[in-house]
Amino acid sequence: MDPETRARAAAYGRPFAPEEVIAAGHDLAARVCRELRRAGLPAHVQHPQEPSPPGASVEVECQGEHAGGLHVRWGAPELGAAGLRAAAERQDPAAPEWKRYGEVVVLMQTALIGILRLAGFSVVPAEEVDDLAEGDVFVHADTPS
């Protein structure tokens, strides 16, 4: 991470974690992706400003008290776009297509938690660490040895 980005974040009261914490988070992200792929699920590490393909997007938390941990988000862009389109066209946030997308996300959250726990990771529904991350999964940072 470049020094200017770090300085700007610190000035706004949201400093980035040390480089070694972020590097450990990326190592953890690679291991999580590997386990998800072994289970037959598409998974990738999400980088800023990159489009997210279908499957599990794994993002390293670089700031705050959970730095080094991961947010795992299930993405079904085609299903999500269809749901959003239906909800917008009908001006109905309870459109069946949108509801279906939400139900798929919840089902996949449960599956991701189970798969990652079986692989030995410390995992919780992301709402437990961030109330705005509904449907995501949070993988706790590895404890230092």
Side-chain angles (χ1 to χ4, degrees):
M1 185 166 309
D2 67 273
E4 185 179 322
T5 300
R6 277 189 173 282
R8 195 170 35 250
Y12 286 108
R14 293 276 300 153
F16 284 95
E19 288 296 331
E20 58 273 6
V21 171
I22 295 172
H26 281 282
D27 178 62
L28 179 61
R31 289 185 286 130
V32 163
C33 284
R34 187 170 37 253
E35 285 301 325
L36 292 173
R37 287 187 205 114
R38 287 180 66 203
L41 299 174
H44 64 280
V45 176
Q46 184 68 42
H47 299 288
Q49 280 76 44
E50 285 186 5
S52 187
S57 294
V58 180
E59 185 177 338
V60 178
E61 182 66 45
C62 296
Q63 296 171 297
E65 65 181 291
H66 300 291
L70 312 174
H71 282 272
V72 182
R73 178 173 295 116
W74 184 256
E78 189 176 324
L79 189 61
L84 191 57
R85 191 170 40 257
E89 287 172 0
R90 295 183 203 137
Q91 295 184 356
D92 178 11
E97 297 88 345
W98 184 245
K99 186 176 176 188
R100 178 178 176 212
Y101 172 70
E103 289 172 355
V104 166
V105 168
V106 170
L107 288 168
M108 290 308 299
Q109 179 190 44
T110 301
L112 291 167
I113 288 171
I115 291 165
L116 292 172
R117 282 183 179 164
L118 281 172
F121 294 100
S122 176
V123 183
V124 296
E127 303 92 280
E128 291 184 18
V129 296
D130 178 357
D131 59 356
L132 298 178
E134 187 174 349
D136 290 357
V137 172
F138 188 79
V139 180
H140 290 278
D142 286 339
T143 54
S145 50

